[in-house]
Amino acid sequence: MSGPPKTPTHLVLVKGNPSKRAIKKNEPKPPSGVPPIPKHFDKMGKYWFKRIGDDLDAIGVMTTLDGKALELLIEAYTEYRHHCEVLAEEGYTYISTSATGEKMVKAHPAAVMKSDAWKRIRAMLGEFGMTPASRSKVGAKVPAEADPLEAFLNKRK
C-alpha cells in the first residue's frame, strides 16, 4: 500500500475531517487506560512505562490495547540509555590493530546500536503524538485555562 498510513477515526474527528470523506462507524473503541507494566522490565523500564503511560492517558491518547506499542517505545528508550552509558564510559571510538600491524580508529559498536535505537524511538514517539510535529497534527481537547478575571468575578457572587 502506497501513501501515508490511514488516520484513526478519532483523530479524523478531532482534526475536523478536512478531506470530508465518509467516517467509519464500526471502528473498534478500546477502553482508555494504562495497560499493566510488563514483568520483564527492569527498574528503569517500569518507571518509564508508568510515567509515559500516565502522561499519555492524561491527554486521552492511551488505551489498554496500546500496551505492546508502549512496550516497544520503552524497550528502545532503555536500550538507548544503556548505549549512552556504555559510550560515556568507553568512548565513541577505539583503536584496533590490523593483521599487518597498522593501527586503525574504529567506531564503537554501541554507537551504531545507539543510532538504531534512536530511530526506533523517534518512530514510536510519532505514533503516540509525542513530538512537536506529530502533536501539531492532533488537535486534542485540552481544558481551557480559567480566566483570572472570570474567577474573581465568580468569587464575588
Side-chain angles (χ1 to χ4, degrees):
M1 172 165 61
S2 63
K6 300 286 184 209
T7 305
T9 301
H10 71 282
L11 294 182
V12 170
L13 293 173
V14 170
K15 289 180 186 179
N17 195 11
S19 65
K20 307 295 185 217
R21 291 185 180 158
I23 295 175
K24 293 181 193 174
K25 303 227 186 289
N26 60 352
E27 185 174 296
K29 293 179 181 122
S32 63
V34 182
I37 298 171
K39 302 223 184 295
H40 65 85
F41 275 159
D42 61 0
K43 189 176 180 180
M44 183 179 9
K46 289 178 182 177
Y47 169 80
W48 284 111
F49 191 93
K50 178 161 179 29
R51 181 163 175 200
I52 292 175
D54 289 343
D55 289 346
L56 292 171
D57 190 40
I59 62 170
V61 176
M62 193 61 155
T63 70
T64 54
L65 289 181
D66 297 329
K68 294 298 180 198
L70 183 59
E71 182 179 344
L72 292 172
L73 170 61
I74 301 305
E75 283 180 348
Y77 182 72
T78 55
E79 180 185 330
Y80 176 82
R81 294 301 317 151
H82 170 71
H83 295 313
C84 288
E85 292 168 7
V86 168
L87 292 169
E89 288 176 18
E90 300 177 13
Y92 279 78
T93 60
Y94 67 96
I95 297 174
S96 176
T97 307
S98 69
T100 61
E102 181 182 349
K103 293 193 180 214
M104 299 179 291
V105 177
K106 292 188 173 185
H108 197 291
V112 175
M113 292 185 278
K114 176 184 169 185
S115 175
D116 177 60
W118 172 242
K119 289 174 189 168
R120 289 184 285 134
I121 291 168
R122 283 194 50 187
M124 291 308 296
L125 289 176
E127 291 290 322
F128 284 107
M130 294 177 66
T131 64
S134 63
R135 194 169 39 252
S136 69
K137 295 175 185 170
V138 179
K141 294 180 182 175
V142 180
E145 291 184 24
D147 181 21
L149 176 62
E150 193 70 35
F152 176 73
L153 293 174
N154 286 338
K155 245 192 250 184
R156 291 186 53 178
K157 289 182 182 179

